[in-house]
Amino acid sequence: MIPVEEARARILAALSPVGVETVALSESLGRVLAQPVTARRLQPPKDLSAMDGYALRFEDIGTLPVTLSVIAEVPAGGSFEETVPAGACVRIFTGGPLPDGTDTIVIQENTDADEAAGTVTILEGSPEGRHVRRAGLDFAPGDILVDTGKRLGARDIGLAAAGNVPWVTVYRKPRVAILSTGDEIALPGDPIGPNQIVSSNGPALAAAVTAAGGVPTLMPIAPDDAESLQALARNAAGHDLLLTTGGASVGKHDLVGSALAETGLELDFWKIAMRPGKPLMFGSFAGMPMLGLPGNPVSALVCFLLFGRPALTRLAGASNTGVTFTPARLGSALPENDRREDYLRADLHRDESGHLIATPTQRQDSSMMSTLSQAGGLVRRLPHAPAAEAGATVDVLVFPDGF
């Protein structure tokens, strides 16, 4: 058995990003940039007012109060194309461009306007340049707005739009074939024999792949027959990753490793020192990366979270492929751990002081999907971790959105 970190490192080292494509900015949410987004304009394009008030010459408000002539009005999107002379000003609104000859904004609350006379009295001044957004304050043409490897969020899309960028070059979404194995499983809604169970792994993994930014293909269930398993695996050709579930252990009917080895599986490793998920398998099948997940539902999803999701992140071109743990306080005591790295389903909540509290569920059986669904994350216990009392600090993997 190899350690968890080594297994993840070996998986990531064997993968490289998939191809690229150009998509409309409006369709780019969650995609990973393959080329940087660079600004195509100056922002702001001119000196703009940050407040409603009056644009004037700073030298005209050296002595207060002072009354100035109001010679124009400049809303956002408007302009005054003449130079403002000494002793005059313009009424200006937030986002309006400063006319030539002005350099300072006095907010309207510090003035007394006489619209009939066309004047305004400045009662309280402003420092020179106050409330002015200078041209190029945010960015200039050619500036990198969002760099390669970033997964685009709403803020990034807004920034690219502000830079007048309508299209972006991103990595293609990884295509993932999901192959569940076993005579004992049937799809939800299908006739179920007296000794069969409903397959939850396929639908759950397809959803997890989608949430991680991939495109899943849910293949037919492979029976415990070498030829059928080989044929279905070959049908996965053209995908960027093959995920199998079940058949990875050492039983008589666990055929994934042996059957696929006959038709091109090059095994990198099999079995890792963790719980749940010991019989994890990774290799290459017909030139396609293959990750063999355990058949137990909880084990399959926990292994996907720890290994499959980072693999998809690498294939999608993202720069951050690590697994992030958050410190929390134990809500109940835990015994000493054995030689395997342990991942315990846990309820998460905040106490009155704002501390994250993680309370492992009492039963951790790897077939119990109900406890995984109700949990907020996983408490990680390193090999040979000593007994821990309630209140001790532990690492928690908080479940990401969509998991």
Side-chain angles (χ1 to χ4, degrees):
M1 296 190 293
I2 65 173
V4 171
E5 288 295 335
E6 180 183 341
R8 186 160 47 243
R10 285 166 67 167
I11 291 171
L12 295 176
L15 304 176
S16 57
V18 298
V20 302
E21 60 185 357
T22 299
V23 301
L25 183 65
S26 59
E27 301 298 320
S28 67
L29 179 66
R31 305 298 292 274
V32 178
L33 280 178
Q35 295 179 6
V37 172
T38 57
R40 301 174 62 207
R41 61 165 292 159
L42 189 70
Q43 178 64 20
K46 297 180 178 180
D47 291 351
L48 303 179
S49 176
M51 302 289 286
D52 292 345
Y54 295 86
L56 44 77
R57 297 170 179 268
F58 176 71
E59 62 188 37
D60 284 344
I61 57 172
T63 302
L64 298 175
V66 62
T67 298
L68 305 175
S69 299
V70 181
I71 62 173
E73 185 174 282
V74 182
S79 65
F80 180 66
E81 300 300 335
E82 301 176 24
T83 299
V84 176
C89 66
V90 299
R91 180 77 165 100
I92 199 166
F93 297 89
T94 303
L98 269 68
D100 289 342
T102 65
D103 56 19
T104 301
I105 304 296
V106 173
I107 61 175
Q108 62 188 23
E109 292 88 341
N110 294 337
T111 66
D112 183 13
D114 186 340
E115 294 186 6
T119 62
V120 62
T121 299
I122 309 301
L123 303 174
E124 184 177 331
S126 293
E128 184 173 7
R130 185 69 179 272
H131 304 310
V132 176
R133 293 174 180 149
R134 296 298 180 189
L137 172 68
D138 204 354
F139 51 78
D143 285 352
I144 293 178
L145 302 180
V146 192
D147 214 345
T148 301
K150 177 73 181 296
R151 191 179 296 276
L152 293 171
R155 294 170 293 165
D156 306 308
I157 291 171
L159 178 58
N164 197 28
V165 176
W167 301 88
V168 290
T169 301
V170 296
Y171 289 100
R172 177 174 51 77
K173 291 185 177 182
R175 297 185 291 259
V176 182
I178 301 170
L179 178 58
S180 299
T181 68
D183 290 335
E184 75 280 11
I185 58 176
L187 290 175
D190 282 355
I192 302 174
N195 299 313
Q196 288 188 299
I197 59 173
V198 178
S199 172
S200 62
N201 287 353
L205 288 170
V209 165
T210 300
V215 180
T217 299
L218 195 54
M219 305 185 71
I221 294 173
D224 289 326
D225 171 81
E227 290 186 2
S228 298
L229 177 59
Q230 292 165 355
L232 284 169
R234 284 194 295 268
N235 287 341
H239 288 79
D240 303 301
L241 178 67
L242 171 61
L243 277 183
T244 66
T245 80
S249 192
V250 295
K252 178 180 178 181
H253 300 285
D254 292 314
L255 300 175
V256 171
S258 58
L260 297 189
E262 297 175 3
T263 52
L265 173 63
E266 298 178 7
L267 192 63
D268 184 319
F269 65 80
W270 172 53
K271 293 196 297 187
I272 55 176
M274 70 172 282
R275 181 191 303 106
K278 174 184 174 182
L280 184 79
M281 178 185 303
F282 177 70
S284 174
F285 178 74
M288 175 175 47
M290 190 277 283
L291 184 62
L293 304 175
N296 279 328
V298 173
S299 301
L301 282 173
V302 169
C303 283
F304 177 83
L305 188 60
L306 291 169
F307 306 103
R309 190 178 174 94
L312 278 184
T313 303
R314 171 61 59 84
L315 290 170
S319 54
N320 181 14
T321 57
V323 175
T324 302
F325 293 93
T326 301
R329 295 180 178 179
L330 270 179
S332 59
L334 290 174
E336 179 183 2
N337 195 23
D338 61 16
R339 63 178 181 147
R340 287 197 279 171
E341 193 164 313
D342 211 352
Y343 288 86
L344 305 173
R345 284 152 276 173
D347 169 72
L348 303 181
H349 72 276
R350 299 272 177 185
D351 65 12
E352 298 84 354
S353 301
H355 296 113
L356 182 64
I357 307 298
T359 305
T361 57
Q362 289 188 345
R363 299 192 66 181
Q364 294 286 331
D365 189 287
S366 59
S367 69
M368 296 178 65
M369 280 291 288
S370 59
T371 57
L372 183 66
S373 175
Q374 294 160 12
L378 302 171
V379 170
R380 177 178 67 169
R381 303 209 74 213
L382 296 177
H384 306 293
E389 297 297 325
T393 299
V394 290
D395 288 333
V396 171
L397 175 55
V398 179
F399 291 148
D401 291 341
F403 181 79

